[in-house]
Amino acid sequence: MTNQPVHSPQFFLTAPSPCPYLDGQFERKVFTHLVGEKAAELNDLLTQGGFRRSQNIAYRPACESCRACVSVRIVASEFEPNKSMRRNLARNSDITAREFQAEPSSEQYALFRDYLDARHQRGGMSDMTVLDYAMMVEDTYVPTKIIEYRIEGEPDPDGSIAEQGRLIAVALSDIMGDGLSMVYSFFDPDYASRSLGSYMILDHIQRAKDRGLPHVYLGYWVEGSRKMEYKTRFRPQDHLGPSGWDRYED
């Protein structure tokens, strides 16, 4: 019997559950734990292999009869915004973004709850408490940042004006050796007309460029899923297939 080295990850498989993206399909995931001093190195390798991080877990789809989920990364080093994206950047030029260590706040959680209640009432995260949110942010063994997006002089929901500006969006992102991985992001539903989801992606592309990192990892794309359509707008981008990462073309 061969003993496995302590630092070697062990992988586990979940039971089937209804797919959140495709009706009539069931999903399974393979996952492992990201803990200890090798967590950052392992997270880099697994993300490049199509895994995503949630707290101290790295997972990827392992569905028996479906391969619809495709890992997507933007080639930030070659990216140039199109006309629509330049309008988005201009429209949101009054936003100030600041990067912090991955620490939660009650202000973030209030915005998170507004976002879930407006956008994901029946999703798997809909019943997350403030403690659950804190775990989502803090439970990480890899280099992780939280980015707050604010508008100065804009009143908060209670009518007061915060000195640092109204918080309208938040992104939780991992800093990897070859890029940024957007773990989760959310925004104030009252500002939906600003396309803040796209704005945060554009901001991450610039942050990757500023760090000299070639990629921004967006997670999974499912062809035919309206929830995922926005991801293919940011090009050039690579999709992970059987032979590795390939440039995506329509």
Side-chain angles (χ1 to χ4, degrees):
M1 181 175 178
T2 302
N3 291 325
Q4 192 177 40
V6 174
H7 62 268
S8 297
Q10 292 183 320
F11 292 88
F12 307 90
L13 189 64
T14 65
S17 61
C19 177
Y21 303 113
L22 298 176
D23 293 338
Q25 295 285 353
F26 287 84
E27 70 169 359
R28 300 189 77 176
K29 295 175 181 175
V30 60
F31 69 93
T32 190
H33 295 277
L34 292 169
V35 295
E37 61 181 19
K38 297 289 186 179
E41 179 182 348
L42 180 59
N43 186 52
D44 277 22
L45 290 172
L46 291 178
T47 301
Q48 291 161 9
F51 280 72
R52 293 287 287 165
R53 184 182 72 81
S54 177
Q55 296 177 222
N56 65 3
I57 297 290
Y59 68 90
R60 68 168 296 170
C63 306
E64 295 177 359
S65 60
C66 180
R67 296 293 182 270
C69 290
V70 178
S71 295
V72 175
R73 69 184 185 189
I74 301 167
V75 186
S77 56
E78 301 177 27
F79 177 84
E80 293 294 336
N82 61 26
K83 186 176 181 179
S84 172
M85 294 170 185
R86 290 195 295 271
R87 285 198 300 267
N88 181 303
L89 291 169
R91 175 71 181 89
N92 292 303
S93 60
D94 57 342
I95 293 176
T96 300
R98 294 185 62 194
E99 191 174 291
F100 302 94
Q101 296 301 319
E103 297 179 356
S105 70
S106 57
E107 186 182 22
Q108 292 168 14
Y109 178 70
L111 179 61
F112 178 67
R113 280 264 38 115
D114 288 344
Y115 174 77
L116 291 182
D117 293 343
R119 293 295 186 101
H120 301 285
Q121 290 183 348
R122 298 180 181 178
M125 304 174 76
S126 59
D127 59 351
M128 284 180 65
T129 66
V130 65
L131 210 50
D132 295 327
Y133 175 75
M135 289 292 289
M136 182 178 79
V137 174
E138 291 180 324
D139 193 4
T140 174
Y141 285 78
V142 307
T144 305
K145 300 290 186 180
I146 199 156
I147 303 168
E148 294 186 346
Y149 299 84
R150 297 179 180 271
I151 301 179
E152 292 185 11
E154 191 81 3
D156 285 336
D158 63 2
S160 64
I161 296 180
E163 181 179 349
Q164 69 270 36
R166 176 170 176 167
L167 182 68
I168 64 167
V170 173
L172 183 68
S173 301
D174 290 343
I175 315 298
M176 297 168 42
D178 75 328
L180 304 181
S181 178
M182 297 186 70
V183 176
Y184 196 77
S185 61
F186 53 94
F187 56 85
D188 190 329
D190 290 342
Y191 291 81
S193 63
R194 285 176 172 255
S195 298
L196 291 172
S198 293
Y199 174 73
M200 285 188 278
I201 293 175
L202 292 169
D203 179 66
H204 275 69
I205 293 170
Q206 187 57 54
R207 288 175 184 275
K209 287 184 175 182
D210 292 344
R211 283 181 162 91
L213 299 174
H215 303 119
V216 173
Y217 288 83
L218 294 184
Y220 301 116
W221 169 72
V222 176
E223 187 173 8
S225 171
R226 295 186 63 184
K227 295 179 182 179
M228 303 281 197
E229 286 177 354
Y230 72 94
K231 294 189 179 183
T232 56
R233 298 174 191 159
F234 300 87
R235 304 198 193 178
Q237 64 178 237
D238 298 332
H239 288 192
L240 183 61
S243 60
W245 290 96
D246 294 313
R247 191 62 52 94
Y248 172 71
E249 303 289 348
D250 284 341

